[in-house]
Structure formats: structure tokens, C-alpha cells
Coordinates of all heavy atoms in Angstrom, one line a residue:
M1 N -14.4 105.8 177.9 CA -14.6 104.3 178.0 C -14.3 103.7 176.6 O -14.6 104.2 175.7 CB -16.1 104.1 178.4 CG -16.4 102.6 178.4 SD -17.9 102.2 179.2 CE -19.2 103.4 178.6
T2 N -13.6 102.5 176.8 CA -13.3 101.8 175.6 C -14.2 100.6 175.5 O -14.4 99.9 176.4 CB -11.8 101.3 175.7 OG1 -11.0 102.5 175.9 CG2 -11.3 100.6 174.4
C3 N -14.6 100.2 174.2 CA -15.5 99.1 174.1 C -14.7 97.8 174.0 O -13.4 97.9 173.8 CB -16.5 99.3 172.9 SG -15.7 99.1 171.2
V4 N -15.3 96.7 173.9 CA -14.6 95.3 174.0 C -13.9 95.2 172.6 O -12.8 94.6 172.6 CB -15.6 94.2 174.3 CG1 -16.7 94.0 173.2 CG2 -14.8 92.9 174.5
F5 N -14.5 95.6 171.5 CA -13.9 95.5 170.2 C -12.7 96.3 170.2 O -11.6 95.9 169.7 CB -14.8 95.9 169.1 CG -16.1 95.0 169.0 CD1 -17.3 95.5 168.7 CD2 -15.9 93.6 169.3 CE1 -18.5 94.7 168.7 CE2 -17.0 92.7 169.3 CZ -18.3 93.3 168.9
C6 N -12.6 97.5 170.7 CA -11.5 98.4 170.6 C -10.3 97.8 171.5 O -9.1 97.8 171.1 CB -11.8 99.7 171.1 SG -12.7 100.7 169.9
C7 N -10.7 97.2 172.5 CA -9.7 96.5 173.5 C -9.1 95.3 172.7 O -7.8 95.1 172.7 CB -10.4 95.9 174.7 SG -10.7 97.1 176.0
L8 N -9.9 94.6 172.0 CA -9.3 93.4 171.2 C -8.4 93.9 170.1 O -7.2 93.3 169.9 CB -10.5 92.6 170.5 CG -11.4 91.9 171.5 CD1 -12.5 91.3 170.6 CD2 -10.6 90.8 172.1
I9 N -8.7 95.0 169.5 CA -7.9 95.5 168.4 C -6.6 96.2 169.0 O -5.5 95.8 168.5 CB -8.6 96.7 167.5 CG1 -9.7 95.9 166.8 CG2 -7.6 97.5 166.7 CD1 -10.6 96.7 166.0
S10 N -6.7 96.9 170.1 CA -5.5 97.5 170.6 C -4.6 96.6 171.3 O -3.3 96.8 171.2 CB -5.9 98.7 171.5 OG -6.4 98.2 172.7
E11 N -5.2 95.6 171.9 CA -4.3 94.6 172.5 C -4.0 93.3 171.7 O -3.2 92.5 172.1 CB -5.1 94.0 173.8 CG -5.3 95.1 174.8 CD -6.2 94.7 176.0 OE1 -6.7 93.6 176.0 OE2 -6.6 95.6 176.8
N12 N -4.5 93.3 170.5 CA -4.3 92.3 169.5 C -4.6 90.9 170.1 O -3.7 90.0 169.9 CB -2.8 92.4 168.9 CG -2.7 91.6 167.7 OD1 -3.7 91.4 166.9 ND2 -1.5 91.3 167.3
T13 N -5.6 90.7 170.8 CA -5.8 89.5 171.6 C -6.8 88.5 170.9 O -7.1 87.5 171.6 CB -6.2 89.8 173.1 OG1 -7.3 90.7 173.0 CG2 -5.1 90.4 173.8
A14 N -7.5 89.0 169.9 CA -8.6 88.1 169.3 C -7.9 87.0 168.4 O -6.8 87.1 168.1 CB -9.4 89.0 168.5
R15 N -8.7 86.0 168.0 CA -8.4 85.1 167.1 C -8.7 85.6 165.7 O -9.8 85.4 165.2 CB -9.0 83.8 167.3 CG -8.8 83.2 168.7 CD -9.3 81.8 168.9 NE -10.7 81.7 168.7 CZ -11.4 80.7 168.5 NH1 -10.7 79.4 168.7 NH2 -12.7 80.6 168.4
W16 N -7.7 86.4 165.1 CA -8.1 87.2 163.9 C -8.2 86.3 162.7 O -7.4 85.5 162.5 CB -7.0 88.2 163.8 CG -7.0 89.2 164.7 CD1 -6.0 89.4 165.7 CD2 -8.0 90.3 165.1 NE1 -6.2 90.5 166.6 CE2 -7.5 90.9 166.2 CE3 -9.2 90.6 164.5 CZ2 -8.2 91.9 166.8 CZ3 -9.9 91.7 165.0 CH2 -9.5 92.3 166.2
I17 N -9.3 86.6 162.0 CA -9.5 86.0 160.7 C -8.9 86.9 159.6 O -8.3 86.5 158.6 CB -11.0 85.7 160.4 CG1 -11.5 84.7 161.5 CG2 -11.2 85.2 159.0 CD1 -13.0 84.6 161.4
F18 N -9.1 88.2 159.8 CA -8.7 89.3 159.0 C -8.4 90.6 159.6 O -9.2 90.9 160.6 CB -9.8 89.6 157.9 CG -9.5 90.6 156.8 CD1 -8.6 90.3 155.8 CD2 -9.9 91.9 157.0 CE1 -8.2 91.3 154.9 CE2 -9.6 92.9 156.1 CZ -8.7 92.7 155.1
R19 N -7.4 91.2 159.4 CA -7.1 92.5 160.0 C -6.7 93.5 158.9 O -6.0 93.2 158.0 CB -5.8 92.5 160.9 CG -6.0 91.8 162.2 CD -6.9 92.5 163.2 NE -6.6 93.9 163.5 CZ -5.8 94.3 164.4 NH1 -5.3 93.4 165.4 NH2 -5.6 95.6 164.7
G20 N -7.6 94.6 158.8 CA -7.3 95.5 157.8 C -7.4 97.0 158.4 O -7.8 97.1 159.5
P21 N -7.1 98.0 157.6 CA -7.1 99.4 158.2 C -8.6 99.9 158.4 O -8.7 100.7 159.3 CB -6.4 100.2 157.0 CG -6.5 99.4 155.8 CD -6.6 98.0 156.2
T22 N -9.6 99.4 157.7 CA -10.9 99.8 157.8 C -11.8 98.7 158.5 O -12.7 99.0 159.3 CB -11.5 100.2 156.6 OG1 -10.6 101.1 155.8 CG2 -12.9 100.7 156.6
V23 N -11.6 97.5 158.2 CA -12.4 96.4 158.8 C -11.6 95.2 159.1 O -10.5 95.0 158.6 CB -13.3 96.0 157.6 CG1 -14.3 94.8 158.1 CG2 -14.2 97.1 157.0
S24 N -12.1 94.6 160.2 CA -11.4 93.4 160.8 C -12.4 92.3 161.1 O -13.6 92.6 161.2 CB -10.6 93.7 162.0 OG -9.6 94.8 161.8
A25 N -12.0 91.0 161.3 CA -12.9 89.9 161.5 C -12.1 89.0 162.5 O -10.9 88.8 162.4 CB -13.4 89.3 160.3
F26 N -12.9 88.5 163.4 CA -12.3 87.4 164.3 C -13.3 86.4 164.7 O -14.5 86.6 164.5 CB -11.7 88.1 165.6 CG -12.8 88.8 166.5 CD1 -13.3 88.0 167.6 CD2 -13.3 90.1 166.2 CE1 -14.4 88.6 168.4 CE2 -14.3 90.6 167.0 CZ -14.8 89.9 168.1
A27 N -12.7 85.2 165.2 CA -13.6 84.2 165.7 C -13.7 84.3 167.1 O -12.7 84.5 167.8 CB -12.9 82.8 165.2
P28 N -14.9 84.1 167.7 CA -15.1 84.3 169.1 C -14.6 83.1 169.9 O -14.5 82.0 169.2 CB -16.7 84.4 169.2 CG -17.2 83.8 168.1 CD -16.1 84.0 166.9
L29 N -14.3 83.4 171.1 CA -13.7 82.2 171.9 C -14.7 81.1 172.1 O -14.4 79.9 172.3 CB -13.3 82.7 173.2 CG -12.0 83.6 173.2 CD1 -11.7 84.2 174.6 CD2 -10.8 82.9 172.6
D30 N -16.1 81.4 172.2 CA -17.2 80.6 172.4 C -18.2 80.7 171.2 O -19.2 81.2 171.4 CB -17.9 80.9 173.7 CG -18.7 79.8 174.2 OD1 -18.7 78.7 173.6 OD2 -19.5 80.0 175.2
P31 N -17.8 80.1 170.1 CA -18.7 80.3 168.9 C -20.1 79.6 169.2 O -20.2 78.6 169.7 CB -18.0 79.5 167.8 CG -17.0 78.6 168.5 CD -16.8 79.2 169.8
L32 N -21.1 80.3 168.4 CA -22.4 79.7 168.5 C -22.7 78.7 167.5 O -23.7 78.0 167.6 CB -23.4 80.9 168.5 CG -23.4 81.9 169.6 CD1 -24.2 83.2 169.3 CD2 -23.6 81.4 171.0
A33 N -22.0 78.7 166.5 CA -22.1 77.8 165.4 C -20.8 77.7 164.6 O -19.9 78.6 164.7 CB -23.2 78.3 164.4
P34 N -20.7 76.6 163.8 CA -19.5 76.5 163.0 C -19.4 77.6 162.2 O -20.3 78.1 161.5 CB -19.7 75.3 162.2 CG -20.6 74.4 163.1 CD -21.5 75.4 163.7
G35 N -18.2 78.2 162.0 CA -18.0 79.4 161.1 C -18.3 80.7 161.8 O -18.2 81.8 161.1
H36 N -18.8 80.7 162.9 CA -19.2 82.0 163.7 C -18.0 82.9 163.6 O -16.9 82.6 164.1 CB -19.6 81.6 165.2 CG -20.1 82.9 165.8 ND1 -20.4 82.7 167.1 CD2 -20.4 84.1 165.5 CE1 -20.9 83.9 167.5 NE2 -20.9 84.7 166.6
A37 N -18.2 84.1 163.1 CA -17.3 85.2 163.0 C -17.9 86.5 163.3 O -19.1 86.8 163.0 CB -16.6 85.1 161.6
L38 N -17.1 87.4 163.8 CA -17.5 88.8 164.1 C -16.8 89.7 163.2 O -15.5 89.6 163.1 CB -17.4 89.2 165.5 CG -18.4 88.7 166.5 CD1 -18.0 87.3 167.0 CD2 -18.7 89.5 167.6
V39 N -17.5 90.4 162.4 CA -16.9 91.4 161.4 C -17.1 92.9 161.9 O -18.3 93.1 162.2 CB -17.4 91.3 160.0 CG1 -16.7 92.3 159.0 CG2 -17.1 89.8 159.5
I40 N -16.1 93.6 162.2 CA -16.2 95.0 162.9 C -15.3 95.9 162.1 O -14.3 95.6 161.5 CB -15.7 94.7 164.3 CG1 -14.2 94.3 164.4 CG2 -16.6 93.9 165.2 CD1 -13.6 94.4 165.7
P41 N -15.8 97.2 162.2 CA -14.9 98.3 161.8 C -13.6 98.3 162.6 O -13.8 98.1 163.9 CB -15.7 99.5 162.0 CG -17.1 99.1 162.0 CD -17.1 97.7 162.7
T42 N -12.5 98.6 162.0 CA -11.3 98.6 162.8 C -11.2 99.9 163.7 O -10.6 99.7 164.8 CB -10.0 98.6 161.9 OG1 -10.2 97.3 161.1 CG2 -8.8 98.5 162.6
S43 N -11.9 100.9 163.4 CA -12.0 102.1 164.2 C -13.4 102.0 164.9 O -14.3 101.4 164.6 CB -12.0 103.3 163.4 OG -10.7 103.5 162.8
H44 N -13.4 102.7 166.1 CA -14.6 102.6 166.9 C -15.8 103.5 166.3 O -15.6 104.7 166.0 CB -14.3 103.1 168.3 CG -15.5 103.1 169.2 ND1 -16.0 102.0 169.9 CD2 -16.5 104.2 169.5 CE1 -17.0 102.3 170.6 NE2 -17.4 103.6 170.3
Y45 N -17.0 102.8 166.3 CA -18.2 103.5 166.0 C -19.2 102.9 167.0 O -19.2 101.6 167.1 CB -18.6 103.3 164.5 CG -17.6 103.9 163.6 CD1 -16.8 103.0 163.0 CD2 -17.6 105.3 163.3 CE1 -15.7 103.5 162.0 CE2 -16.6 105.8 162.4 CZ -15.7 104.9 161.8 OH -14.8 105.5 160.9
A46 N -20.0 103.7 167.5 CA -20.9 103.2 168.5 C -21.9 102.2 168.0 O -22.3 101.2 168.6 CB -21.7 104.3 169.3
D47 N -22.4 102.4 166.8 CA -23.4 101.5 166.2 C -23.6 101.9 164.7 O -22.8 102.7 164.2 CB -24.7 101.7 167.0 CG -25.3 103.1 166.9 OD1 -25.0 103.9 166.1 OD2 -25.9 103.5 168.0
I48 N -24.5 101.2 164.2 CA -24.7 101.4 162.7 C -25.1 102.7 162.3 O -24.8 103.3 161.2 CB -25.8 100.3 162.1 CG1 -25.6 100.2 160.6 CG2 -27.2 100.7 162.5 CD1 -26.4 99.0 160.0
F49 N -25.7 103.4 163.2 CA -26.2 104.8 162.9 C -25.1 105.8 162.8 O -25.2 106.8 162.1 CB -27.3 105.3 164.0 CG -28.4 104.3 164.0 CD1 -28.5 103.5 165.2 CD2 -29.3 104.1 163.1 CE1 -29.6 102.5 165.4 CE2 -30.3 103.2 163.2 CZ -30.5 102.4 164.3
G50 N -24.0 105.7 163.5 CA -22.9 106.5 163.5 C -21.7 106.1 162.6 O -20.7 106.8 162.7
T51 N -22.0 105.0 162.0 CA -20.8 104.5 161.1 C -20.9 105.0 159.7 O -22.0 105.0 159.1 CB -20.9 103.0 161.1 OG1 -20.9 102.5 162.4 CG2 -19.7 102.4 160.2
P52 N -19.8 105.6 159.1 CA -19.9 106.2 157.8 C -20.3 105.2 156.8 O -19.8 104.0 156.9 CB -18.4 106.7 157.6 CG -17.9 106.9 158.9 CD -18.5 105.9 159.8
P53 N -21.0 105.6 155.8 CA -21.5 104.6 154.8 C -20.4 103.8 154.0 O -20.5 102.7 153.8 CB -22.3 105.4 153.8 CG -22.8 106.7 154.5 CD -21.6 106.9 155.6
E54 N -19.3 104.6 153.9 CA -18.1 103.8 153.2 C -17.6 102.8 154.1 O -17.0 101.7 153.6 CB -17.1 104.8 152.7 CG -16.4 105.5 153.8 CD -17.1 106.9 154.2 OE1 -18.3 107.0 153.8 OE2 -16.6 107.8 154.9
V55 N -17.6 102.9 155.4 CA -17.1 101.9 156.3 C -18.1 100.8 156.4 O -17.6 99.5 156.4 CB -16.8 102.4 157.6 CG1 -16.5 101.4 158.7 CG2 -15.8 103.6 157.6
L56 N -19.4 101.0 156.3 CA -20.4 100.0 156.2 C -20.2 99.2 155.0 O -20.4 97.9 155.0 CB -21.8 100.6 156.4 CG -22.1 101.2 157.7 CD1 -23.5 101.8 157.7 CD2 -22.2 100.0 158.7
A57 N -19.9 99.9 154.0 CA -19.8 99.2 152.6 C -18.6 98.2 152.7 O -18.7 97.0 152.3 CB -19.6 100.1 151.5
E58 N -17.6 98.6 153.2 CA -16.3 97.7 153.4 C -16.5 96.5 154.4 O -16.2 95.5 154.1 CB -15.2 98.4 153.9 CG -14.5 99.3 152.8 CD -13.0 99.7 153.1 OE1 -12.3 98.9 153.5 OE2 -12.7 101.0 152.8
T59 N -17.4 96.9 155.4 CA -17.8 95.9 156.4 C -18.6 94.8 155.7 O -18.4 93.6 155.9 CB -18.6 96.6 157.6 OG1 -17.7 97.5 158.2 CG2 -18.8 95.4 158.6
M60 N -19.6 95.2 155.0 CA -20.5 94.3 154.3 C -19.7 93.5 153.2 O -20.1 92.3 152.9 CB -21.7 94.9 153.8 CG -22.7 95.3 154.9 SD -23.1 94.0 156.0 CE -23.9 92.8 155.0
A61 N -18.7 94.1 152.6 CA -18.0 93.4 151.5 C -17.2 92.3 152.1 O -17.1 91.2 151.6 CB -17.0 94.4 150.8
L62 N -16.6 92.5 153.4 CA -16.0 91.4 154.1 C -16.9 90.4 154.6 O -16.6 89.2 154.5 CB -15.1 92.1 155.4 CG -14.3 91.0 156.1 CD1 -13.3 90.2 155.2 CD2 -13.4 91.7 157.1
V63 N -18.0 90.8 155.1 CA -19.1 89.8 155.4 C -19.4 88.9 154.3 O -19.5 87.6 154.4 CB -20.4 90.6 155.9 CG1 -21.6 89.6 156.1 CG2 -20.2 91.3 157.3
Q64 N -19.6 89.5 153.1 CA -19.9 88.8 152.0 C -18.7 87.7 151.6 O -19.0 86.6 151.3 CB -20.2 89.6 150.8 CG -20.6 88.9 149.5 CD -20.8 89.8 148.3 OE1 -19.9 90.7 148.1 NE2 -21.9 89.7 147.6
R65 N -17.4 88.2 151.7 CA -16.4 87.5 151.4 C -16.3 86.3 152.3 O -16.1 85.1 151.9 CB -15.1 88.3 151.3 CG -14.0 87.6 150.5 CD -12.8 88.6 150.3 NE -12.0 88.6 151.4 CZ -11.4 89.8 151.9 NH1 -11.4 90.8 151.2 NH2 -10.6 89.8 152.9
L66 N -16.3 86.6 153.7 CA -16.3 85.5 154.6 C -17.4 84.5 154.5 O -17.2 83.3 154.8 CB -16.3 86.1 156.0 CG -14.9 86.8 156.4 CD1 -15.0 87.3 157.8 CD2 -13.7 85.8 156.3
S67 N -18.6 85.1 154.2 CA -19.8 84.1 154.1 C -19.5 83.1 152.9 O -19.8 81.9 153.1 CB -21.0 84.9 153.8 OG -21.3 85.8 154.8
G68 N -18.9 83.6 151.8 CA -18.7 82.7 150.7 C -17.6 81.6 151.2 O -17.7 80.5 150.9
T69 N -16.6 82.1 151.9 CA -15.5 81.2 152.3 C -16.0 80.2 153.3 O -15.8 78.9 153.2 CB -14.4 82.0 153.0 OG1 -13.9 83.0 152.1 CG2 -13.3 81.1 153.6
M70 N -17.0 80.6 154.2 CA -17.5 79.7 155.3 C -18.4 78.7 154.6 O -18.4 77.5 154.8 CB -18.2 80.4 156.3 CG -17.3 81.4 157.1 SD -16.1 80.4 158.1 CE -15.4 81.8 159.1
R71 N -19.2 79.2 153.6 CA -20.1 78.3 152.9 C -19.4 77.2 152.2 O -19.8 76.0 152.2 CB -21.0 79.1 152.0 CG -22.1 78.3 151.3 CD -23.0 79.1 150.4 NE -22.3 79.6 149.3 CZ -22.8 80.4 148.3 NH1 -24.0 80.5 148.3 NH2 -22.1 80.8 147.4
T72 N -18.3 77.6 151.5 CA -17.6 76.5 150.9 C -16.8 75.6 151.8 O -16.8 74.4 151.7 CB -16.6 77.2 149.9 OG1 -17.3 78.1 148.9 CG2 -15.7 76.2 149.2
A73 N -16.1 76.2 152.8 CA -15.3 75.4 153.7 C -16.2 74.5 154.6 O -15.7 73.3 154.8 CB -14.5 76.3 154.6
L74 N -17.3 75.0 155.0 CA -18.2 74.1 155.9 C -19.3 73.4 155.1 O -20.0 72.7 155.7 CB -18.8 75.1 156.9 CG -17.9 75.9 157.7 CD1 -18.5 76.8 158.6 CD2 -17.0 74.9 158.6
K75 N -19.3 73.6 153.8 CA -20.3 72.9 152.9 C -21.7 73.2 153.6 O -22.6 72.4 153.7 CB -20.0 71.4 152.9 CG -18.8 71.1 152.2 CD -18.6 69.6 152.1 CE -17.4 69.1 151.3 NZ -16.2 69.9 151.4
A76 N -21.9 74.5 153.9 CA -23.1 75.0 154.5 C -24.2 75.4 153.5 O -23.8 75.8 152.3 CB -22.8 76.2 155.4
G77 N -25.5 75.1 153.7 CA -26.5 75.4 152.8 C -26.8 76.9 152.8 O -27.5 77.4 151.9
G78 N -26.3 77.6 153.9 CA -26.6 79.1 153.9 C -25.8 79.7 155.1 O -25.1 79.0 155.8
V79 N -26.1 81.0 155.2 CA -25.4 81.7 156.4 C -26.5 82.6 157.1 O -27.5 83.0 156.5 CB -24.3 82.6 155.9 CG1 -23.2 81.9 155.2 CG2 -24.9 83.6 154.9
N80 N -26.2 82.9 158.3 CA -27.0 83.8 159.2 C -26.2 85.0 159.4 O -25.1 84.8 160.1 CB -27.5 83.1 160.4 CG -28.4 83.8 161.2 OD1 -29.0 84.8 160.9 ND2 -28.7 83.4 162.5
I81 N -26.7 86.2 159.1 CA -26.0 87.4 159.3 C -26.8 88.2 160.4 O -28.0 88.6 160.1 CB -25.7 88.1 158.1 CG1 -24.8 87.3 157.1 CG2 -25.0 89.6 158.3 CD1 -24.7 87.8 155.7
L82 N -26.2 88.7 161.4 CA -26.9 89.5 162.4 C -26.2 90.9 162.6 O -24.9 90.9 162.7 CB -27.0 88.7 163.7 CG -27.4 89.5 165.0 CD1 -28.9 89.8 164.8 CD2 -27.2 88.7 166.2
S83 N -27.0 91.9 162.8 CA -26.4 93.1 163.2 C -27.3 93.8 164.2 O -28.6 93.9 164.0 CB -26.3 94.1 161.9 OG -25.9 95.5 162.4
A84 N -26.7 94.1 165.4 CA -27.6 94.7 166.4 C -27.1 96.1 166.7 O -25.8 96.2 167.0 CB -27.6 93.8 167.7
S85 N -28.0 97.0 166.8 CA -27.5 98.4 167.2 C -28.4 99.1 168.1 O -29.6 99.1 167.8 CB -27.5 99.3 165.9 OG -26.4 99.0 165.1
G86 N -27.9 99.4 169.2 CA -28.7 100.1 170.3 C -29.4 99.0 171.3 O -29.5 97.9 171.1
P87 N -29.8 99.5 172.5 CA -30.2 98.6 173.6 C -31.5 98.0 173.2 O -31.8 96.9 173.7 CB -30.4 99.7 174.7 CG -30.3 101.0 174.2 CD -29.6 100.9 172.9
G88 N -32.3 98.6 172.3 CA -33.6 97.9 172.0 C -33.4 96.8 171.0 O -34.4 96.1 170.5
S89 N -32.3 96.5 170.5 CA -32.0 95.6 169.5 C -31.9 94.1 169.9 O -32.0 93.2 169.2 CB -30.8 95.9 168.6 OG -29.7 95.8 169.4
A90 N -31.7 94.0 171.3 CA -31.5 92.5 171.9 C -32.7 91.8 171.9 O -33.8 92.2 171.8 CB -30.9 92.7 173.3
Ligands
ZN101 ZN1 -14.8 100.4 170.0

């Protein structure tokens, strides 16, 4: 079974903000707020628990970089960062 993020990467169908060998980011088709972006590992990991620490570090580095860019571009007073892992996280 392939997850939705892997489909976006393999089919190259997302609105990419950044594509890298370890981490990628895209804008959702139906954003919840100005600057809404999803930052994901480029390779598949089921959740935060199975993701290698070095991949998480690169992911968070991109989150930090995009947050700064969005804060400046949107003149936002802050950012909201969400990570959900597992069925009990919703
Ligand atoms: Zn996947």
C-alpha cells in the first residue's frame, strides 16, 4: 500500500515549495490558512516513531526555514506547527 505523500512524490503532482533528497514541502490544494504548507520526508516513514532522527532533524530545519519565510512574506505574528502520528493523534 502506498500513502498519499508517496503518491504525490512519485507522480510529482503536488504544488511543490521545495523538493530535496531527504525532505520536501508542498502547498495543499485546500489550504486551512495563508501560508499553509506540509513538510514531509521524501522517503516513506509511517510516522514520527519510525523516522530516523537525522531525517527528523532535516524535516524540522525545513519547517524552521519555511516558517521564517512565511512569517516575513505574510507579515504574520507567528506560526502554527502541527505533527500528528498514529490514529489516536486526531
Ligand atoms: Zn509514504
Side-chain angles (χ1 to χ4, degrees):
M1 180 166 42
T2 303
C3 78
V4 64
F5 297 142
C6 288
C7 286
L8 292 173
I9 289 171
S10 68
E11 297 169 5
N12 199 26
T13 52
R15 298 188 306 166
W16 297 109
I17 298 170
F18 178 82
R19 288 291 307 264
T22 306
V23 183
S24 298
F26 65 96
L29 294 175
D30 193 14
L32 298 177
H36 186 183
L38 285 88
V39 180
I40 59 172
T42 302
S43 297
H44 178 84
Y45 299 101
D47 55 33
I48 195 170
F49 305 107
T51 305
E54 62 274 13
V55 174
L56 285 175
E58 285 197 45
T59 302
M60 287 310 296
L62 182 55
V63 167
Q64 184 184 44
R65 201 168 82 213
L66 286 180
S67 295
T69 299
M70 298 294 186
R71 184 174 64 172
T72 300
L74 300 172
K75 297 180 176 35
V79 298
N80 184 14
I81 298 168
L82 171 68
S83 175
S85 285
S89 64

